[in-house]
Amino acid sequence: MRFIEGGVTAPQGFTAAGIYCGIRKNKTKPDLAMIYAKVPCTAAAVYTQNLVKGAPILVTQENLSDGRAQAVICNSGNANTCNADGEEKARKMCEIAGKALGIKPQDVIVASTGVIGQVLPIEPIQNAAPALAQALSKEDSESAAKAIMTTDTQVKNMAVEVSVGGKPVRIGGIAKGSGMIHPNMATMLCFLTTDAPVSPEVLNKVLHEAVSVSFNMISVDGDTSTNDMVSIMASGLAGGEPIQADTEEYKEFTEALIALCTALARKIAGDGEGATKLLVSHVTGAKSEKDARLAAKSVICSSLFKAAMFGADANWGRVLCAVGYSGAQVDMQAVDVSFASEAGSVEVCRNGAGVDFDEGLAKKILECGEIYVEIALHDGGYEATAFGCDLTYDYVKINGDYRT
């Protein structure tokens, strides 16, 4: 497997584009994205478990009930959530995209991201759709990735190529997410494409496996969004027999999808609102996979720990504290903790107690842009990795005036 250029347009059969339509006040940034497959695709999606769901999620769930889709339309700047006419507007977006592309509205995945509780103006989308469809290109995944961004500072646009059953298969993805990131079975927004031949049932199974160890293991601020969704469309244009569950081909495809999703998840975590550092919490020696995940994610969710990392303070007690309230079954007197980065590694805790360490070295390690927290539980054979970011002054600034 190797990472390649192209994002969602790297797989065979897909084009994409992003343009400014007028929903956002900032006219220098695109705010409407489209992805189109030249053939009908099998499709699957994973959604937020927040009880407050954006209208686009409800409509997409209906549209994907048959496991089929051929296009994505997504706007930024307005979440179309908690509005009386929300579902009507989401369905209208599908109709607009369908008309512009010559496909059924039911074959469109619709998404919105931005401010909650403000009525979505449909006219800008309707007026821009023909030009957006005309702009679709094999080289324009990046503009689509930019169009779905809100407070993101980095474009998240990636693809991988892997051999599945001896045939080259590509998987591409674009994602957005910077704040309100604490997914439960999803992330902010991620649209994936592949040219692998996969049935809806197998595609759904693979997607859930990939999300559980990637997007579901990140947190920026502990807030689960109302509009979280990860979707995938498979054109099948790579050829060959459909991938069957629990085969070698299934394993090859799943590993590639996990690699891509993990890379995108790391980008989301590292691009957290106001963030200066990517935090990677790696737990080993857990009694179960569940315990490993609970402990790893609890650490990167800790506001106290995140603040300490912003200040490059090796306050390892906050790591133990977070593991202790995580709900994982852990013998706290057997836990070892160390911090690592490109500047080196330093052990700070052994058998649940502090050890003498060089504070100067620790500070240098924690001043780097990517910090690893290694937590050894010595209680079993399971491990897990979670991704997060530091908590800075700018996070409060950004969210203090988000609407204005």
Side-chain angles (χ1 to χ4, degrees):
M1 190 207 73
R2 64 188 181 98
F3 281 86
I4 58 173
E5 300 294 323
V8 291
T9 60
Q12 296 181 57
F14 293 95
T15 54
I19 63 172
Y20 176 75
C21 74
I23 294 174
R24 297 177 64 94
K25 295 177 183 178
N26 183 357
K27 296 182 180 181
T28 64
K29 178 190 173 302
D31 57 6
L32 188 64
M34 181 177 281
I35 303 169
Y36 172 65
K38 69 179 184 180
V39 296
C41 298
T42 59
V46 181
Y47 312 95
T48 183
Q49 289 190 6
N50 193 323
L51 293 180
V52 180
K53 289 182 171 60
I57 285 199
L58 302 176
V59 173
T60 294
Q61 286 177 317
E62 291 177 3
N63 288 355
L64 290 187
S65 61
D66 62 353
R68 302 283 171 178
Q70 198 169 348
V72 173
I73 187 167
C74 175
N75 73 274
S76 60
N78 187 310
N80 191 16
T81 299
C82 299
N83 296 321
D85 64 350
E87 289 188 51
E88 176 187 341
K89 293 284 181 66
R91 289 193 179 90
K92 184 64 176 177
M93 285 181 66
C94 294
E95 292 174 7
I96 291 169
K99 181 178 180 181
L101 297 169
I103 63 175
K104 296 188 297 182
Q106 295 82 3
D107 288 337
V108 177
I109 293 168
V110 60
S112 299
T113 182
V115 179
I116 296 170
Q118 293 187 354
V119 175
L120 174 68
I122 200 68
E123 293 78 12
I125 298 172
Q126 189 158 22
N127 294 338
L132 180 60
Q134 189 68 31
L136 289 168
S137 165
K138 282 292 291 181
E139 286 74 44
D140 221 4
S141 179
E142 186 166 330
S143 72
K146 289 179 178 178
I148 66 175
M149 292 166 60
T150 49
T151 56
D152 305 58
T153 65
Q154 300 173 18
V155 178
K156 302 161 182 74
N157 178 54
M158 306 180 77
V160 296
E161 185 175 77
V162 63
S163 176
V164 176
K167 289 182 177 291
V169 163
R170 292 184 170 190
I171 312 171
I174 60 173
K176 64 85 50 182
S178 186
M180 209 174 187
I181 302 285
H182 186 72
N184 192 356
M185 295 301 292
T187 184
M188 283 294 290
L189 284 178
C190 178
F191 305 113
L192 301 163
T193 61
T194 181
D195 48 21
V198 197
S199 71
E201 296 77 19
V202 172
L203 195 61
N204 185 63
K205 178 179 170 65
V206 172
L207 183 62
H208 277 77
E209 284 190 35
V211 166
S212 69
V213 296
S214 58
F215 297 119
N216 211 27
M217 293 299 290
I218 62 175
S219 183
V220 167
D221 51 19
D223 276 287
T224 300
S225 172
T226 58
N227 290 53
D228 295 348
M229 177 168 65
V230 181
S231 71
I232 184 168
M233 295 190 294
S235 70
L237 293 178
E241 294 297 315
I243 297 171
Q244 301 297 319
D246 305 320
T247 60
E248 186 61 30
E249 291 78 13
Y250 178 91
K251 180 181 177 183
E252 292 166 345
F253 182 70
T254 302
E255 288 178 350
L257 183 60
I258 288 174
L260 176 62
C261 290
T262 300
L264 289 168
R266 286 174 64 98
K267 283 184 172 290
I268 290 172
D271 193 28
E273 288 176 340
T276 64
K277 301 169 184 176
L278 169 66
L279 308 179
V280 181
S281 172
H282 182 218
V283 170
T284 59
K287 285 184 177 180
S288 67
E289 186 175 27
K290 178 183 177 182
D291 289 328
R293 290 184 183 181
L294 285 171
K297 198 163 184 184
S298 184
V299 172
I300 56 98
C301 288
S302 166
S303 294
L304 285 174
F305 171 70
K306 289 154 64 70
M309 293 300 97
F310 172 55
D313 178 10
N315 194 340
W316 58 269
R318 293 180 177 178
V319 176
L320 257 64
C321 178
V323 173
Y325 64 63
S326 67
Q329 294 186 35
V330 178
D331 177 1
M332 298 306 300
Q333 294 183 341
V335 180
D336 299 340
V337 178
S338 62
F339 295 122
S341 71
E342 63 182 7
S345 176
V346 60
E347 184 183 35
V348 293
C349 169
R350 188 185 309 133
N351 296 328
V355 297
D356 290 334
F357 63 91
D358 185 334
E359 290 279 4
L361 173 61
K363 189 169 184 64
K364 287 182 180 179
I365 289 169
L366 298 182
E367 285 176 339
C368 294
E370 192 167 308
I371 310 299
Y372 287 81
V373 189
E374 299 289 345
I375 306 160
L377 304 184
H378 299 295
D379 212 12
Y382 294 89
E383 63 181 289
T385 304
F387 309 96
C389 62
D390 56 343
L391 181 59
T392 72
Y393 310 127
D394 285 340
Y395 178 84
V396 177
K397 290 180 182 178
I398 291 167
N399 285 284
D401 60 3
Y402 182 70
R403 290 197 311 144
T404 55

